[in-house]
Amino acid sequence: MVDLRGRDFLKLLDYTPKEINHLLKVAATLKKQKHNHISHKHLKGKQIALLFEKDSTRTRCAFESGAVDLGMQATYIGPTGSQLGKKETIADTARVLSRMYDGIEYRGFGQDIVEELAKYSSVPVWNGLTDEFHPTQMLADVMTIKEEFGKLKGIKLVFLGDARNNVGNSLMVVSAKLGIDFTCCAPKELFPEDKLVKQCMEIAKETGAKITLTENVEEGTKNADVIYTDVWVSMGEPMEKWESRIKLLSKYQVNKKVMENANPKAIFLHCLPSFHNIDTKIGYEIYEKYGIKEMEVTDEVFESKKSRVFEEAENRQHTIKAVMLETLKK
Ligand code: CP
Ligand code: NVA
């Protein structure tokens, strides 16, 4: 029996494979109920606070709409407009919000901040992205992979790009936990930190997962079932980073050649948002400055039949609902 009541959800390293699989199962049930218009207001009357020190579309909307689906109300606290970080500490904010709310979501900078929030909070705290980890994203990603291939064990998942960011790190962790064959395909200077790699390799020994790090795109992506990428510069990093990242990561772009080197049934995933054209403010600025029209993925792959990015985005809602339900239910 898996019982997650009262638990925080800060990083997948804190969760057992059994607990992660349980959340995926609950998410699948909630998805079916939602698609069949079956009411599931299991958390009626509860309230949650959403603390965002960085921007968000998917995570915020998944928590807000998911809260309503479950019968709850959500209060959004954005990057400006609250006392947090200016006049009030994380510890005090945690204790204040715990007196008014049943759960707290936090998106921001260092992982230590969300860990501190959880330490002082008396209600569950959920990590909606930090510089180091993005655990709710992982549940949606593996749910999407499972829907596609009917299993996770032995699936070859390749991440190309900035592999020591929140998404790269978390993919390696979730793969280790769930027996996925994970390849990090990136320049050495952007490999995940040694300590985390070692930790994941230890976990992999128990679960049958494989963890490979390579700089070689052709070798790395050969026979992949899932090709995954993320932005080359993450939120919170300075704009000046673009120049060096473009130099380092251009050859790790996901394009037709990469997809053709993968398994014929391979799918493409991306946590989003994505720079696959110049129709965004930043995308256009990068184009004007560096002359590139597509970055981590070409528009052709993004819009192709292999792309599951919008299925993946939808699954953010079902999986986040599963986390809220399992940690808040009576
Ligand atoms: N994937 C993801 O976390 O998207 P948002 O930044 O829009 O929340
Ligand atoms: N690595 C990206 C993920 C966005 C969902 C960032 O942190 O900006």
Side-chain angles (χ1 to χ4, degrees), residues 54 107 129-130 134 137 165-167 230-231 233-235 271-273:
K54 289 176 178 169
R107 165 173 287 199
L129 177 147
T130 58
H134 196 1
Q137 178 71 49
N165 77 15
N166 38 30
V167 171
D230 184 14
V231 289
V233 175
S234 286
M235 288 183 282
C271 54
L272 306 181

Side-chain angles (χ1 to χ4, degrees), residues 43 45-49 72-75 100-103 328:
L43 299 175
K46 291 195 186 283
Q47 296 201 50
I48 59 169
M72 297 192 287
Q73 277 202 331
T75 302
M100 300 183 193
Y101 293 94
D102 301 288
L328 292 189

Side-chain angles (χ1 to χ4, degrees), residues 153-165:
K153 274 203 188 291
I155 288 292
K156 181 171 177 183
L157 164 63
V158 182
F159 178 82
L160 292 101
D162 175 13
R164 13 109 292 165
N165 77 15

Side-chain angles (χ1 to χ4, degrees), residues 16-73:
T16 64
K18 196 171 169 193
E19 288 168 343
I20 299 169
N21 280 315
H22 174 74
L23 288 170
L24 292 175
K25 226 163 112 186
V26 173
T29 304
L30 291 170
K31 182 170 184 172
K32 243 184 240 150
Q33 288 175 336
K34 173 118 180 151
H35 283 192
N36 293 320
H37 308 286
I38 299 168
S39 172
H40 45 279
K41 299 198 179 300
H42 308 304
L43 299 175
K44 200 162 174 235
K46 291 195 186 283
Q47 296 201 50
I48 59 169
L50 309 176
L51 271 177
F52 281 83
E53 296 201 273
K54 289 176 178 169
D55 293 339
S56 169
T57 297
R58 277 145 292 272
T59 310
R60 173 182 176 178
C61 294
F63 271 101
E64 286 204 23
S65 62
V68 171
D69 281 350
L70 292 168
M72 297 192 287
Q73 277 202 331

Side-chain angles (χ1 to χ4, degrees), residues 9-15 20 135 138-139 170 173-174 177:
F9 188 75
L10 305 178
K11 56 187 182 302
L12 287 179
L13 288 169
D14 304 335
Y15 275 64
I20 299 169
M138 295 305 112
L139 295 179
S170 305
V173 174
V174 79
K177 290 272 179 182

